[in-house]
Amino acid sequence: MTSSTMSHTPADVSIQPRNLSFDVEAALATDWHKGDPFSTAFYNALSIMFPVGEQQFIDSVKHYRDRITDPVLAADVRGFTAQESIHRREHQKYNEALCSSLGYSLDALEGPIRRRIDWAQKHMPPIVHLGATVAYEHWTAILADALLRRPEMMDGADPHLAALWRWHAIEESEHKAVAFDVYRAVGGTPNMRRRLMLAITLEFAWDTLRHMRAMLKDHKGSKVKLWLGGMKFLFGKGGALRGLGRPWLDFFRRDFHPWDHDNRAVVAKVAQSLSLKVAAAE
Ligand SMILES: [Fe+2]
Ligand SMILES: [Fe+2]
């Protein structure tokens, strides 16, 4: 590979952070996602992971900054870092407001993730950290793509939170190949990223479930009904995870690249409608 072909993000995709701020505090005290405690807990559970997880993504990519000779990929990395830094800021604000209004302990929720990252820092080489980021970025890319393609997933949700999730989905799509391109440029192999994808999928599901259980433990009414109804939200017709099996499996192809899933048109469309509704941060 020559130095000029390290970046495989399409030339018309700009990886620029939008410095936005979202007024989500009041809504987070409620079942903001369509009045449904289960689906609200699902999105809140994901949010809890982002400030810690995205810092780890940034660190794992920045570790290889000096090895990137392609100026286009170097600019992609700067855009990726800037976008993820603002995601962290907004989700930290989100998580603090959520935990203080509903009485969750942010430390208890984040603790196991922090300890796992600390353990991995001590025992795993940098290429494994980067490969794990590549796998997580594929997960965020396919979840984001579903959210952008199916506006009904956020229709009826609190408008400020709907805007936050759409904004995050747009930027996850724009930078979805950055960690991947760095991984490939520094010699990361398809086999390692495949193995890491299997491990990361279990870890991601486990963390999501753990957070949701903590958030729903004081739910009044039948827990069985709540979780059965929740399965419909996740896997039923139009469900949040419905249709993700195929794009998830594509990651296991030897020649896979994130932009094989070309969603530029839908990203541009949602980005345009979002810019009409959301104010910039001060
Ligand atoms: Fe992000
Ligand atoms: Fe990301």
Side-chain angles (χ1 to χ4, degrees):
M1 191 179 285
T2 65
S3 66
S4 61
T5 58
M6 284 178 169
S7 168
H8 291 273
T9 294
D12 58 348
V13 173
S14 147
I15 307 174
Q16 293 292 331
R18 297 160 182 80
N19 191 12
L20 302 180
S21 186
F22 298 87
D23 183 12
V24 294
E25 206 173 323
L28 285 169
T30 68
D31 289 333
W32 62 266
H33 190 261
K34 310 186 187 197
D36 177 28
F38 188 93
S39 60
T40 298
F42 173 73
Y43 288 104
N44 291 345
L46 295 182
S47 179
I48 293 292
M49 295 177 215
F50 292 144
V52 184
E54 291 183 316
Q55 185 60 51
Q56 167 68 5
F57 300 169
I58 292 169
D59 293 345
S60 69
V61 170
K62 274 169 92 174
H63 177 85
Y64 287 99
R65 234 176 349 189
D66 297 346
R67 302 258 306 265
I68 300 164
T69 51
D70 172 12
V72 180
L73 185 56
D76 291 351
V77 168
R78 286 194 295 276
F80 164 82
T81 303
Q83 287 187 333
E84 295 290 35
S85 299
I86 297 174
H87 301 170
R88 291 191 67 242
R89 181 191 75 196
E90 289 306 302
H91 280 277
Q92 183 66 29
K93 211 171 78 185
Y94 178 137
N95 296 345
E96 285 172 10
L98 174 76
C99 291
S100 77
S101 61
L102 296 183
Y104 307 149
S105 162
L106 188 52
D107 274 349
L109 291 168
E110 283 180 339
I113 303 176
R114 287 189 190 281
R115 286 193 288 277
R116 209 184 298 136
I117 291 173
D118 286 348
W119 181 89
Q121 291 290 358
K122 280 192 201 109
H123 300 283
M124 299 282 179
I127 194 67
V128 171
H129 298 298
L130 182 60
T133 297
V134 170
Y136 266 117
E137 286 283 284
H138 185 60
W139 259 113
T140 57
I142 62 179
L143 286 164
D145 182 67
L147 196 80
L148 298 176
R149 265 179 215 288
R150 299 194 248 140
E152 66 277 13
M153 283 174 73
M154 280 291 159
D155 285 349
D158 171 78
H160 300 286
L161 279 149
L164 178 146
W165 283 100
R166 287 185 174 130
W167 157 75
H168 199 161
I170 290 163
E171 297 197 347
E172 287 306 316
S173 294
E174 289 168 344
H175 72 229
K176 64 182 173 181
V178 178
F180 190 100
D181 288 342
V182 172
Y183 176 80
R184 236 172 23 176
V186 300
T189 64
N191 273 342
M192 181 187 278
R193 71 170 163 80
R194 286 171 179 145
R195 284 199 301 271
L196 286 166
M197 176 54 104
L198 294 173
I200 256 50
T201 297
L202 290 175
E203 180 180 90
F204 190 33
W206 175 258
D207 285 336
T208 307
L209 276 173
R210 191 174 59 79
H211 296 166
M212 289 181 73
R213 278 191 60 197
M215 291 171 182
L216 294 169
K217 77 176 176 5
D218 295 328
H219 175 72
K220 295 180 185 44
S222 160
K223 289 258 174 53
V224 176
K225 218 165 138 189
L226 177 76
W227 282 85
L228 281 178
M231 291 306 111
K232 213 165 120 192
F233 158 75
L234 291 174
F235 303 108
K237 192 162 176 268
L241 302 181
R242 190 79 177 246
L244 298 192
R246 185 73 186 270
W248 180 81
L249 274 175
D250 285 343
F251 187 83
F252 291 86
R253 286 203 330 256
R254 170 161 283 277
D255 63 348
F256 172 76
H257 185 271
W259 280 105
D260 293 349
H261 300 156
D262 187 352
N263 60 348
R264 277 175 288 180
V266 73
V267 172
K269 192 173 138 201
V270 181
Q272 199 184 23
S273 74
L274 188 77
S275 69
L276 301 174
K277 293 181 195 145
V278 182
E282 282 166 18

